[in-house]
C-alpha cells in the first residue's frame, strides 16, 4: 500500500472511530464490564478458585479509543487487539492519556512475517504464536529498551482446518526453540476450541500441566488463555487463567 492509500485508510479509520465515540453509551459499557467481572468471580468461586487467579482480557478490536479509555479509568488493564494498524493507532493515542498509559496490550490476531516488527515494538503480549520463524523474528525485533515480550503458543487443540495454531504434537520442538530466546518470555498456551467439543478445555489443561512438569526451567509458565463470552464459565472450571471477552462487554460489532 502506498503512502497516500495508507493516509486515506487511517483517515477513514479515525473518522469511523469518531462516529462510534459519539454513539456509545458509557454507562451501559461500564455496567456490561461490571457484569462480566461478576460472572468471572462467580465462575471462579464455583470452581473453588480465587477471582484474582483469572485475568479478564477485554477484546477491543474495531472499538474506539473512547470506549477503551472509559474501561481503563474503571481499572481494566488488559486489552486484546486483532488488527495491527488499527491497534497501533489506538496504542499511540492512549499512551498519551492519564490512566491509560498502564494498559497492557495483547496481540490476538494472526501473525504474518511482515507484521512482526510492529508487533514486537508495540505490544506487551502475543497470544497467537504458532511458528518458529515468527518466534525468531519477534525475538530479534523486540527493542532492547523494552521488557521481554510475553508470548503464548496458540494450539489447534481440535485439529480444525479453519483454525490457526500448532498441533499438540508440534509443541515440544516449538517450546525447545522459544525457551532459549532472551527477548521472549514464554508464558503458556492459548486455544480457540471447536464449539461442539466440550472436553477441549480439560485436554488443554492436561497439556499445560504436563509441559509445566516436563520443563521446570520455564519459571513463568503460568498462563492458560481459554474461554470467551459464551464459554468462559466452562473454561474457568477447567483451569483457565485468562478469558477473552469482547461482545459481552462492548456489544455486538458493527
Amino acid at each position: 500500500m502506498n503512502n497516500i492509500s495508507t493516509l486515506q485508510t487511517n483517515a477513514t479509520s479515525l473518522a469511523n472511530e469518531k462516529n462510534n465515540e459519539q454513539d456509545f453509551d458509557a454507562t451501559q459499557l461500564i455496567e456490561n464490564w461490571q457484569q462480566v467481572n461478576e460472572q468471572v468471580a462467580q465462575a471462579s468461586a464455583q470452581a473453588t478458585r480465587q477471582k484474582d487467579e483469572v485475568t479478564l482480557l477485554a477484546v477491543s478490536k474495531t472499538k474506539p479509543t473512547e470506549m477503551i479509555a472509559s474501561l481503563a479509568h474503571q481499572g481494566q488493564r488488559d486489552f486484546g487487539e486483532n488488527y495491527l494498524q488499527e491497534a497501533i493507532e489506538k496504542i499511540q493515542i492512549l499512551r498519551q492519556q492519564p490512566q491509560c498509559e498502564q494498559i497492557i496490550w495483547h496481540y490476538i490476531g494472526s501473525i504474518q512475517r511482515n507484521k512482526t516488527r510492529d508487533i514486537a515494538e508495540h505490544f506487551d503480549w502475543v497470544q497467537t504464536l504458532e511458528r518458529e520463524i515468527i518466534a525468531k523474528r519477534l525475538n530479534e525485533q523486540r527493542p532492547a529498551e523494552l521488557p521481554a515480550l510475553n508470548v503464548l503458543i496458540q494450539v489447534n487443540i481440535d485439529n480444525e482446518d479453519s483454525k490457526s495454531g500448532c498441533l499438540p504434537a508440534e509443541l515440544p520442538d516449538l517450546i525447545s526453540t522459544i525457551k532459549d530466546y532472551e527477548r521472549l518470555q514464554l508464558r503458556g498456551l492459548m486455544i480457540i476450541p471447536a464449539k461442539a467439543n466440550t472436553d477441549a478445555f480439560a485436554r488443554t489443561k492436561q497439556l499445560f500441566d504436563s509441559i509445566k512438569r516436563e520443563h521446570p526451567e520455564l519459571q513463568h509458565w503460568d498462563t492458560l488463555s481459554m474461554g470467551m463470552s459464551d464459554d468462559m464459565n466452562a473454561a474457568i472450571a477447567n483451569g483457565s487463567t485468562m478469558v477473552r471477552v469482547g461482545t459481552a462487554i462492548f456489544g455486538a460489532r458493527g
Side-chain angles (χ1 to χ4, degrees):
M1 183 179 290
N2 60 37
N3 290 338
I4 293 175
S5 297
T6 301
L7 289 172
Q8 290 173 338
T9 300
N10 290 345
T12 300
S13 174
L14 290 173
N16 289 338
E17 180 173 303
K18 184 175 181 180
N19 290 334
N20 288 339
E21 288 175 8
Q22 294 171 347
D23 294 340
F24 88 92
D25 183 336
T27 300
Q28 185 62 59
L29 174 68
I30 293 169
E31 287 180 3
N32 292 347
W33 174 74
Q34 291 172 334
Q35 289 172 1
V36 171
N37 270 290
E38 181 58 29
Q39 185 178 349
V40 171
Q42 291 177 356
S44 298
Q46 290 171 359
T48 63
R49 301 176 62 194
Q50 299 297 316
K51 179 183 179 299
D52 61 7
E53 293 180 34
V54 182
T55 298
L56 173 60
L57 179 68
V59 178
S60 49
K61 63 180 180 182
T62 77
K63 299 303 180 181
T65 54
E66 276 288 316
M67 296 183 88
I68 298 171
S70 292
L71 294 181
H73 293 163
Q74 296 297 314
Q76 176 65 32
R77 284 291 170 264
D78 292 84
F79 289 87
E81 292 284 338
N82 292 62
Y83 307 124
L84 184 56
Q85 292 307 314
E86 172 196 326
I88 291 173
E89 290 178 27
K90 293 177 181 179
I91 292 169
Q92 291 174 337
I93 291 169
L94 289 168
R95 280 186 173 159
Q96 307 303 316
Q97 296 186 17
Q99 295 183 277
C100 294
E101 69 275 9
Q102 299 302 316
I103 288 175
I104 300 170
W105 294 99
H106 298 244
Y107 186 74
I108 58 175
S110 61
I111 308 176
Q112 298 163 356
R113 292 192 188 192
N114 62 348
K115 294 182 178 181
T116 54
R117 183 174 299 279
D118 281 337
I119 292 171
E121 290 177 352
H122 290 92
F123 285 85
D124 305 295
W125 286 70
V126 170
Q127 297 207 13
T128 49
L129 186 55
E130 58 173 327
R131 292 187 291 156
E132 290 184 8
I133 184 59
I134 298 299
K136 182 176 185 292
R137 289 174 66 88
L138 289 172
N139 179 67
E140 292 173 348
Q141 295 168 344
R142 182 67 167 174
E145 68 272 14
L146 295 179
L149 180 64
N150 296 294
V151 297
L152 303 180
I153 298 174
Q154 181 174 358
V155 180
N156 190 346
I157 193 66
D158 293 316
N159 194 15
E160 295 180 275
D161 291 338
S162 62
K163 298 277 178 69
S164 298
C166 71
L167 296 176
E170 298 170 331
L171 273 172
D173 287 343
L174 190 53
I175 289 171
S176 294
T177 298
I178 297 173
K179 71 178 184 177
D180 292 328
Y181 285 144
E182 293 184 357
R183 304 300 296 138
L184 302 183
Q185 186 70 260
L186 185 54
R187 301 294 296 269
L189 305 176
M190 185 276 263
I191 66 160
I192 304 173
K195 290 185 180 298
N197 205 336
T198 56
D199 72 339
F201 294 141
R203 287 186 287 114
T204 306
K205 181 61 162 66
Q206 291 173 355
L207 186 61
F208 177 86
D209 289 342
S210 69
I211 293 169
K212 190 176 183 67
R213 288 192 300 270
E214 293 166 9
H215 292 276
E217 73 277 14
L218 296 177
Q219 298 181 9
H220 299 281
W221 184 263
D222 57 7
T223 303
L224 188 52
S225 177
M226 58 184 192
M228 296 184 280
S229 293
D230 294 334
D231 56 12
M232 74 172 82
N233 288 10
I236 291 170
N238 282 281
S240 173
T241 67
M242 184 177 294
V243 291
R244 309 180 304 273
V245 181
T247 302
I249 296 173
F250 294 99
R253 305 187 193 284

